[in-house]
Amino acid sequence: MRRRALLLAMPALAAADGYRTENYRAPVPTDVPGGRAIGSAEATLLFDRQGAVWIDVLPAPRRPEGLPPDALWRPSPRLGIPGSLWLPEVGRGALPADLEAWFRAGLERATQGDRDRPVVFYCLADCWMSWNAAKRAAAWGWRQVLWYRDGTDGWEAAGMPTEALHPAPGWR
């Protein structure tokens, strides 16, 4: 209870609409408005049953500033839950209009417009970006919003498989 009170007492980290806007790698709450938090056991069952849409919101690595244009740069691959749609950056607290539109379009396509289809948002453990994305999807009218709080950290700890993900088409 004390941890929750401390989290709620940090208004400087949240925008007026309640999305976390900085310090994304920090302890997260136990629930998400409009959705439901799940742990690794339920995530594993959902994965095995199939039918849910899995969305990874971890930001994509950016080319380091100042790196000469002809220098070789090869970021580490993003290992995520197999079959996931990777929508980098959509978990930020404030989204530019073009990124918000891309997120909405990706969510529409992934669910084929079915707002009752389960959608699981994840990132890493203690990552507010997946919380933000789940809250946003629920606010847009998706009714089966699930937030996998432990993300790929919990997934790997549970011994589940991963695969290299690539950002969804249209990513900048």
Side-chain angles (χ1 to χ4, degrees):
M1 187 55 102
R2 180 182 167 167
R3 180 176 155 212
R4 183 174 173 83
L6 286 172
L7 290 172
L8 294 174
M10 299 191 318
L13 299 178
D17 53 9
Y19 294 99
R20 180 74 170 227
T21 59
E22 58 186 71
N23 194 21
Y24 294 109
R25 289 301 305 270
V28 294
T30 57
D31 56 4
V32 61
R36 186 168 61 81
I38 62 171
S40 292
E42 187 172 353
T44 300
L45 287 173
L46 278 168
F47 180 78
D48 289 342
R49 271 190 270 164
Q50 302 178 349
V53 171
W54 294 79
I55 299 181
D56 187 347
V57 302
L58 185 74
R62 299 267 184 207
R63 186 175 179 87
E65 279 189 41
L67 189 64
D70 59 342
L72 180 64
W73 178 67
R74 191 175 307 179
S76 297
R78 169 63 175 147
L79 297 178
I81 296 170
S84 294
L85 176 64
W86 186 15
L87 299 175
E89 305 291 339
V90 302
R92 299 247 176 234
L95 299 181
D98 63 332
L99 186 57
E100 183 175 333
W102 182 71
F103 179 17
R104 280 182 182 247
L107 192 51
E108 270 301 323
R109 275 191 307 277
T111 62
Q112 299 174 327
D114 181 357
R115 298 203 175 209
D116 287 316
R117 187 163 180 195
V119 182
V120 183
F121 291 92
Y122 72 94
C123 188
L124 303 169
D126 284 331
C127 179
W128 282 84
M129 288 191 172
S130 53
W131 185 92
N132 281 343
K135 179 181 175 181
R136 203 167 261 122
W140 290 339
W142 269 265
R143 292 178 283 276
Q144 294 288 325
V145 174
L146 303 169
W147 171 46
Y148 182 29
R149 296 177 71 232
D150 296 329
T152 50
D153 295 324
W155 190 259
E156 289 175 345
M160 296 300 290
T162 59
E163 71 178 16
L165 301 181
H166 303 282
W171 172 242
R172 331 175 188 178

